[in-house]
Amino acid sequence: MLLRDDFQPRWKLALKWGWLSFAVFILMAPVFYTMYISFNELGFGAKYYIFTFQWYESVFSDKQLIGSLGWTMLLAIITLPIVIPFGLLSAKLYKQSQHKVGIVFVLLSPLFVPADILGSALLVFFKNLNKFFTLISEYTGIYVLESWFDLGIMTAVIGLIVYTLPYVFVVIMITMARYKVEQTEAARDLGASAWRAFWEIEFPQIRAGVFSACAFVVILTFNEYTRTSLLKGGFDTFTSVLISQMLNTGMSEESYAMASIVSLVAIIIVSIILIVTAIKTEELEKITRVVKEPNK
Amino acid sequence: MAKTNAIEVKNLVKTYGNVYALKNVDLNIADGEYFVLLGPSGGGKTTLLRSIGGFIRPDSGSVNIKGQNVDDLPPDRRPTSMVFQGFALFPHMNVSQNIGYGLKLKSIDKNIIENKVNKMTDLVGLKGLSNRMPHELSGGQQQRVQLARALILENDVLLLDEPLSALDAQLRKDMCIELKRLQKTVGISFVHVTHNQEEAMSVADRIAIIADGEMVEQGTPKEIYSNPKNKFTAEFIGEKNIFEGKIKDFNKTKVVVDIDNDNIEFANNNYKVKKNQKVSLSIKSESIQIKKISKTNSKILNNQIVGKISEITFLGQFVRYLVVLNNKQEIQVRSYEEIVNLKVHDTVSLSWKLEDFLLHQN
């Protein structure tokens, strides 16, 4: 274990944990400060602090903010059922393939392209695709495909898929690494079809990873600004509203409240994922120990 | 009446790139036979077993089970069940659910499944453990769950891929007895892969030796152990001493082979040999008698060679003597009793019964 050494003095161990806690605190301090401000009736920069829930109340009456929240959730809901199976299949392919480095490189490459460049590239690509389909429509008289790639939900979702797939792939791949393929073979041998072997044997064991990936997609959808702003067309997302408010008028107190809600939800989700993963890991380690040392 | 074949394998070939995992393997396994595929790691025995089970598609050749060609059938449609090396129990299901999973897939009535699962848990000695999760079981118990899960489907053939390799020596011995008992009870063919010759000998009706993707030799455990036809088999089975030499002389009853500085004389078991032909000889370490040479018994007979003891090791049931011959070759001798007056560096004579040496043509 990383921070444990049976022979080191207790104060050294305490120092290590203290340092780790301090690092986490520094990382999370801006989020906690945002939450702190969100409860101040006098808002950011005020000399006095008067505790209130009023900004939270007004968040739910801010139609633009609530509307943008709805659009963001919609994008996440549409992205999820596309990107999760895609990531799952990619992780399965990775596990079975002998060309693991190549697969990792291809799937993680969107992470290495700057967000604005990838967003612009997709924008240009969709514009050209639209022109191409318009041309085809004019020649054939079939107008079905003409406006498929107009900026809107579909293009924003494609942008999100490109952005979130590497994360989904990595999270599922890590969970899947512990799964023993022999169990699928055993299920097939007992008469299960490939689908039933996956659904009844493999999926229950990688479920934590799949649910974690779902949570990551939702969080990343809230987090994403550059690509979505370029590809979304006419509607507003939560991040785009937040940033435009900051650029135009500075952050409103409602924005602090909204940011706090989103941060809190994200922290809760990630904490649950970590706790469930830790429990599952401990269970799996127990099983592995029994298999490795069968006579104990 | 001759037994019918449960499995017929013809000309099976499987390659991985340029490497042959199986080279034209032929095999017949009778109904109700306990058949063991024995050989060194990487020899192709698991590939052969997985080809029979449908987990590997061979490049060419055919597999028939109970007279039916199964070349194009996936594992779930073959009349075989498999016991895997790494247990492969479903960790999110308890013992009963693991054992009954195959029946559940067949949409059999829940009460019937419960009945059969109960019978099977009794048969494999898991009574009272039905609700335990796999990680709450010992290695031996996990292997019993695997056996029950495979046997409950009442398929024609049970395939066992190194089923005892994760168990300790004593448990392995117990499980060998258990496997043999189970096979007699259910009466179907068992095909068991192992690299452990003691395990193979203790369970098999017949053994096939497989190495480098080829079928080296087949026979009963006694034939394979006592009279191996092949040099590889002789080396692989038991603690065999192998000698390389040339035929010096032979007649209808005896053969003499020159191994550098010594002559070895043994019975001619209708060997077709000629003078100066290069041959290999083998003798089991327990078939050699070892005796200290003293001034009073220094005469060397034809079926004797002389060497010096280099090591004496007490191994529980027997004592092993390592003896270095004049040509520097090391010979192992097993004695079930410690010979009191023998010490390291003693000069000893090694003798044998004429029929104990076996000749293998190179």
Side-chain angles (χ1 to χ4, degrees), chain A residues 98 179-194 196-205 207 280 283-284 286-288 290-296, chain B residues 50 53 55 74-76 80-93 98 101-102 104-105 134-140 142 149-150 153 155 166-168 171:
Chain A
Q98 292 179 334
Y179 177 74
K180 284 165 69 184
V181 182
E182 272 187 347
Q183 288 177 28
T184 299
E185 289 185 342
R188 293 298 312 273
D189 186 58
L190 294 169
S193 62
R196 280 194 84 167
F198 169 74
W199 187 243
E200 292 176 356
I201 306 301
E202 186 172 1
F203 186 74
Q205 295 179 62
R207 195 162 38 200
K280 287 273 169 196
E283 276 175 16
L284 279 165
K286 261 191 219 163
I287 294 163
T288 316
V290 173
V291 173
K292 276 185 184 163
E293 304 161 28
N295 303 304
K296 286 194 173 174
Chain B
R50 291 171 68 81
F55 297 101
D76 52 311
T80 56
S81 296
M82 180 107 156
V83 171
F84 292 85
Q85 187 175 7
F87 303 145
L89 296 180
F90 308 136
H92 56 298
M93 295 183 188
N98 261 286
Y101 183 69
K104 187 185 143 196
L105 289 169
H135 69 267
E136 295 169 327
L137 302 173
S138 70
Q142 288 190 45
R149 187 175 70 178
L153 294 175
N155 278 326
L167 308 180
D168 69 28
L171 198 53

Side-chain angles (χ1 to χ4, degrees), chain B residues 292-305:
Chain B
K292 189 172 180 176
I293 296 183
S294 62
K295 284 173 190 170
T296 52
N297 70 345
S298 59
K299 194 184 172 195
I300 303 301
L301 303 172
N302 285 339
N303 59 336
Q304 274 187 348
I305 43 179

Side-chain angles (χ1 to χ4, degrees), chain A:
Chain A
M1 206 172 145
L2 186 64
L3 285 168
R4 195 172 156 191
D5 174 357
D6 288 347
F7 297 98
Q8 69 181 333
R10 277 173 172 267
W11 66 267
K12 266 194 182 175
L13 190 66
L15 193 70
K16 283 179 186 174
W17 277 110
W19 173 249
L20 189 67
S21 309
F22 178 69
V24 172
F25 176 76
I26 292 291
L27 288 172
M28 296 303 290
V31 177
F32 295 140
Y33 187 61
T34 305
M35 290 176 183
Y36 172 76
I37 297 166
S38 70
F39 291 108
N40 188 1
E41 192 184 317
L42 304 174
F44 175 71
K47 199 175 176 182
Y48 300 103
Y49 193 91
I50 302 166
F51 187 83
T52 182
F53 282 114
Q54 81 173 71
W55 305 122
Y56 285 88
E57 285 162 16
S58 53
V59 157
F60 295 101
S61 52
D62 183 336
K63 281 185 182 165
Q64 195 193 11
L65 216 50
I66 291 295
S68 70
L69 192 69
W71 278 111
T72 310
M73 282 308 295
L74 183 69
L75 285 180
I77 288 165
I78 297 172
T79 306
L80 271 175
I82 302 167
V83 77
I84 295 294
F86 207 175
L88 197 57
L89 286 173
S90 307
K92 275 183 85 74
L93 179 70
Y94 169 83
K95 190 152 186 183
Q96 288 163 5
S97 174
Q98 292 179 334
H99 309 288
K100 295 194 188 315
V101 177
I103 291 171
V104 168
F105 176 75
V106 169
L107 283 159
L108 299 194
S109 56
L111 292 181
F112 305 119
V113 182
D116 42 6
I117 294 176
L118 191 63
S120 314
L122 283 169
L123 181 67
V124 171
F125 178 69
F126 290 141
K127 293 260 181 201
N128 281 314
L129 215 56
N130 256 343
K131 274 186 193 168
F132 173 72
F133 283 129
T134 309
L135 215 63
I136 284 186
S137 305
E138 279 169 10
Y139 276 109
T140 59
I142 302 165
Y143 293 93
V144 182
L145 294 170
E146 195 185 19
S147 55
W148 265 35
F149 292 95
D150 280 347
L151 295 185
I153 288 181
M154 181 157 155
T155 51
V157 165
I158 293 173
L160 279 170
I161 290 169
V162 173
Y163 171 49
T164 55
L165 180 63
Y167 295 96
V168 171
F169 166 68
V170 168
V171 172
I172 297 177
M173 184 186 76
I174 290 167
T175 327
M176 210 177 253
R178 292 167 172 276
Y179 177 74
K180 284 165 69 184
V181 182
E182 272 187 347
Q183 288 177 28
T184 299
E185 289 185 342
R188 293 298 312 273
D189 186 58
L190 294 169
S193 62
W195 167 250
R196 280 194 84 167
F198 169 74
W199 187 243
E200 292 176 356
I201 306 301
E202 186 172 1
F203 186 74
Q205 295 179 62
I206 59 166
R207 195 162 38 200
V210 175
F211 289 162
S212 305
C214 292
F216 271 114
V217 170
V218 175
I219 292 167
L220 290 171
T221 307
F222 272 92
N223 185 46
E224 170 58 0
Y225 173 69
T226 318
R227 277 159 286 230
T228 309
S229 295
L230 287 166
L231 301 170
K232 71 182 171 51
F235 60 88
D236 285 324
T237 62
F238 177 68
T239 325
S240 68
V241 169
L242 221 57
I243 289 176
S244 78
Q245 278 186 359
M246 270 171 54
L247 292 175
N248 295 325
T249 59
M251 254 177 103
S252 70
E253 274 62 37
E254 289 93 338
S255 309
Y256 284 112
M258 191 54 152
S260 299
I261 294 170
V262 172
S263 303
L264 197 66
V265 169
I267 289 169
I268 290 168
I269 290 173
V270 172
S271 303
I272 291 170
I273 291 166
L274 288 175
I275 291 165
V276 169
T277 310
I279 292 168
K280 287 273 169 196
T281 307
E282 206 167 290
E283 276 175 16
L284 279 165
E285 269 174 10
K286 261 191 219 163
I287 294 163
T288 316
R289 249 195 328 268
V290 173
V291 173
K292 276 185 184 163
E293 304 161 28
N295 303 304
K296 286 194 173 174

Side-chain angles (χ1 to χ4, degrees), chain B residues 207-362:
Chain B
I207 295 174
I209 307 287
I210 296 181
D212 295 330
E214 285 180 287
M215 186 64 74
V216 177
E217 194 170 342
Q218 293 181 47
T220 63
K222 197 174 175 192
E223 284 165 354
I224 293 280
Y225 187 77
S226 307
N227 193 17
K229 292 182 182 66
N230 190 286
K231 182 184 154 193
F232 177 85
T233 312
E235 277 177 320
F236 189 72
I237 297 280
E239 282 187 46
K240 289 284 192 325
N241 295 298
I242 305 286
F243 299 87
E244 306 286 343
K246 278 182 186 172
I247 301 285
K248 189 176 179 184
D249 199 6
F250 67 96
N251 58 33
K252 280 185 179 175
T253 57
K254 286 179 188 172
V255 181
V256 180
V257 171
D258 174 16
I259 55 156
D260 288 343
N261 300 320
D262 285 308
N263 287 336
I264 289 178
E265 187 179 303
F266 56 96
N268 188 348
N269 192 15
N270 293 325
Y271 297 126
K272 287 173 185 165
V273 289
K274 52 189 179 198
K275 269 198 174 180
N276 291 325
Q277 184 188 341
K278 285 184 177 177
V279 289
S280 305
L281 306 175
S282 71
I283 186 163
K284 293 197 287 283
S285 52
E286 64 266 32
S287 299
I288 302 175
Q289 283 88 51
I290 184 167
K291 204 173 187 182
K292 189 172 180 176
I293 296 183
S294 62
K295 284 173 190 170
T296 52
N297 70 345
S298 59
K299 194 184 172 195
I300 303 301
L301 303 172
N302 285 339
N303 59 336
Q304 274 187 348
I305 43 179
V306 175
K308 260 190 179 176
I309 296 178
S310 65
E311 195 181 300
I312 302 174
T313 316
F314 177 70
L315 295 170
Q317 292 172 316
F318 54 86
V319 181
R320 187 182 63 197
Y321 299 91
L322 290 184
V323 178
V324 180
L325 304 182
N326 291 333
N327 64 4
K328 307 293 177 205
Q329 185 173 353
E330 207 166 56
I331 298 292
Q332 292 190 36
V333 181
R334 266 194 208 188
S335 170
Y336 287 94
E337 285 171 21
E338 189 169 6
I339 301 162
V340 180
N341 64 344
L342 287 185
K343 300 187 300 288
V344 173
H345 302 311
D346 277 354
T347 302
V348 290
S349 74
L350 306 176
S351 58
W352 53 87
K353 288 181 191 163
L354 290 181
E355 61 274 18
D356 283 340
F357 256 106
L358 296 171
L359 183 141
H360 313 282
Q361 306 207 14
N362 288 344

